[in-house]
Amino acid sequence: MTIIEQGRELDPEQLMAFVFRAVGEVGATLNTALVVMGDRLGLYRALAGAGPLTPGELAERTGVSERYVREWLNAQAAGDFVEYDPDTARYTLPPEQAVALTDESSPAYLPGFFQIALGSVLDSPRIIEAAKTGAGIGWHDHVSDVHEGCERFFRPGYNANLVTSWLPALEGVVEKLTRGASVADVGCGHGASTVLMAQAFPNSTFVGSDYHDASIAIARQRADEAGVSDRVRFEVAPATSYTGEKYDLVTMFDCLHDMGDPIGAARHVLASVAQDGTWLIVEPAAGDRVEDNLNPVSRAYYAFSTLLCTPSSLAQEVGLALGAQAGEARIRNVVTSAGFGKFRRAAETPFNLVFEARP
Ligand SMILES: C[S@@+](CC[C@H](N)C(=O)[O-])C[C@H]1O[C@@H](n2cnc3c(N)ncnc32)[C@H](O)[C@@H]1O
């Protein structure tokens, strides 16, 4: 029997259990590509509410090759994404999976999550190289699945929480927004949060900013499509130098930890927010200690952090690299180091921490 360094005997049963767990992990990794495939080819949408279908029927409805559809369906059935009836050789998308995989208005909508995961994995060979030297890879330097997946991943959570619970958790902010306030949405990406707030508060004006020019171009399109361009302006600018002053509200959604110089960004927020204004910071849910974060949600966040967030920060000046699991204590430290007098956790979900900072 082999003795490993820690002095514990190797347990062959535990070894095989780990190997079989790994088989599940490899299947799940590959299924990320299959979910994006099903989303992009309209396979889930054609299955949703259609009742039991044969591969031929699904192929006909989607215009996809029957042989590919059959293989894809079998992988989906083996992973419990669809149900297979051996008596009829038909496949059904259960209602819960139909909502999670096709209903963009549901907070449970998942395709964006898989899309950003696929984009992160596609770019991972470059991360492996960067890790050897500690170099960074900027957010702008990723495949578009990362940017579009991010928008599609976060939007359902913003739809479910931002207007109904996160903004109301801040002192006096909804009243100001209803009357008419000025808002800077910093690191806004494709502008999902900016457009949503603009739709909810028609008397307020919004400036969305992000250092990534291609994201800002899409944010402008989104505002046009939503009919809010008259009150929403977007600019290409890093968080340390976006324009405007005396904002009633500055927001940062899931981006403070991606920045190279979050303390510099926090100083710029302090300089640009009104004396009685508010800074809303939304960050991934995390405890302060590693041992608080050894769970499935944090596992996904640590992985995104390794492949996206940490390299993003390291690619910028200062390169503080907070990581996507920074936790409340480190965020508080960033905010108070910049000179903010008040900081508190205002709300939370299983996926997010929501902080309020005030001068
Ligand atoms: C995870 S994405 C979140 C995007 C958007 N807030 C959302 O919730 O969909 C992080 C964003 O931070 C932006 N970002 C990173 N560093 C930045 C910086 N120093 N200044 C401004 N934006 C930055 C990236 O370009 C990216 O759009």
Side-chain angles (χ1 to χ4, degrees):
M1 189 67 63
T2 313
I3 307 290
I4 61 170
E5 268 176 31
Q6 292 92 325
R8 185 170 74 72
E9 273 191 11
L10 187 145
D11 178 339
E13 273 180 31
Q14 280 197 37
L15 174 60
M16 282 322 288
F18 182 67
V19 168
F20 277 105
R21 211 191 95 196
V23 172
E25 301 243 336
V26 171
T29 306
L30 294 168
N31 195 49
T32 297
L34 296 194
V35 171
V36 172
M37 182 176 174
D39 176 50
R40 214 159 275 171
L41 295 176
L43 298 170
Y44 293 122
R45 289 187 290 283
L47 280 166
L53 294 181
T54 64
E57 288 165 347
L58 182 57
E60 202 179 302
R61 289 176 186 210
T62 53
V64 178
S65 152
E66 191 270 346
R67 186 65 192 88
Y68 277 92
V69 167
R70 186 154 33 106
E71 219 60 14
W72 179 86
L73 276 170
N74 288 335
Q76 297 304 292
D80 287 332
F81 275 52
V82 304
E83 287 168 359
Y84 176 64
D85 178 358
D87 294 333
T88 60
R90 286 172 180 274
Y91 301 78
T92 306
L93 189 66
E96 296 76 19
Q97 275 85 332
V99 166
L101 294 165
T102 70
D103 182 357
E104 291 195 41
S105 69
S106 166
Y109 184 66
L110 289 173
F113 202 7
F114 285 95
Q115 188 179 357
I116 188 172
L118 181 66
S120 307
V121 169
L122 285 172
D123 280 339
S124 62
R126 290 161 58 225
I127 300 298
I128 295 171
E129 287 310 305
K132 291 178 188 168
T133 62
I137 291 188
W139 180 260
H140 62 279
D141 210 4
H142 285 286
V143 292
S144 61
D145 277 328
V146 165
H147 310 130
E148 194 185 292
C150 175
E151 174 191 13
R152 296 178 75 211
F153 170 39
F154 285 139
R155 186 185 283 116
Y158 299 158
N159 284 341
N161 296 298
L162 176 53
V163 173
T164 52
S165 79
W166 294 347
L167 291 171
L170 308 176
E171 221 182 295
V173 165
V174 168
E175 292 77 1
K176 285 185 193 169
L177 288 167
T178 306
R179 276 199 308 273
S182 60
V183 182
D185 189 12
V186 179
C188 68
H190 287 189
S193 50
T194 333
V195 168
L196 183 62
M197 290 189 288
Q199 286 171 321
F201 299 104
N203 295 328
S204 291
T205 54
F206 298 83
V207 180
S209 61
D210 198 292
Y211 90 100
H212 182 213
D213 52 354
S215 284
I216 287 298
I218 291 180
R220 288 189 178 122
Q221 275 176 32
R222 300 287 189 257
D224 279 346
E225 286 156 12
V228 294
S229 294
D230 55 329
R231 292 176 295 105
V232 180
R233 181 170 72 74
F234 287 103
E235 64 181 23
V236 178
T240 43
S241 66
Y242 61 86
T243 63
E245 55 183 13
K246 296 189 178 142
Y247 285 108
D248 297 298
L249 176 67
V250 177
T251 56
M252 284 191 195
F253 295 92
D254 221 298
C255 59
L256 184 63
H257 65 270
D258 292 312
M259 295 173 189
D261 183 11
I263 299 177
R267 280 196 203 101
H268 189 63
V269 176
L270 188 59
S272 68
V273 77
Q275 196 48 43
D276 65 346
T278 303
W279 180 17
L280 166 67
I281 307 156
V282 176
E283 279 287 301
D288 290 328
R289 302 169 308 168
V290 172
E291 56 269 40
D292 301 330
N293 299 329
L294 303 181
N295 58 67
V297 172
S298 292
R299 184 189 188 198
Y301 280 142
Y302 275 129
F304 280 126
S305 188
T306 309
L307 297 171
L308 296 177
C309 314
T310 301
S312 161
S313 178
L314 290 174
Q316 300 181 19
E317 269 176 39
V318 182
L320 190 64
L322 285 172
Q325 291 290 275
E328 178 166 347
R330 294 198 74 197
I331 300 296
R332 175 190 295 274
N333 187 263
V334 164
V335 170
T336 53
S337 304
F340 276 86
K342 294 181 191 152
F343 177 89
R344 71 179 175 100
R345 187 189 296 204
E348 63 191 282
T349 71
F351 302 102
N352 290 107
L353 297 178
V354 179
F355 302 112
E356 177 190 71
R358 308 196 65 179

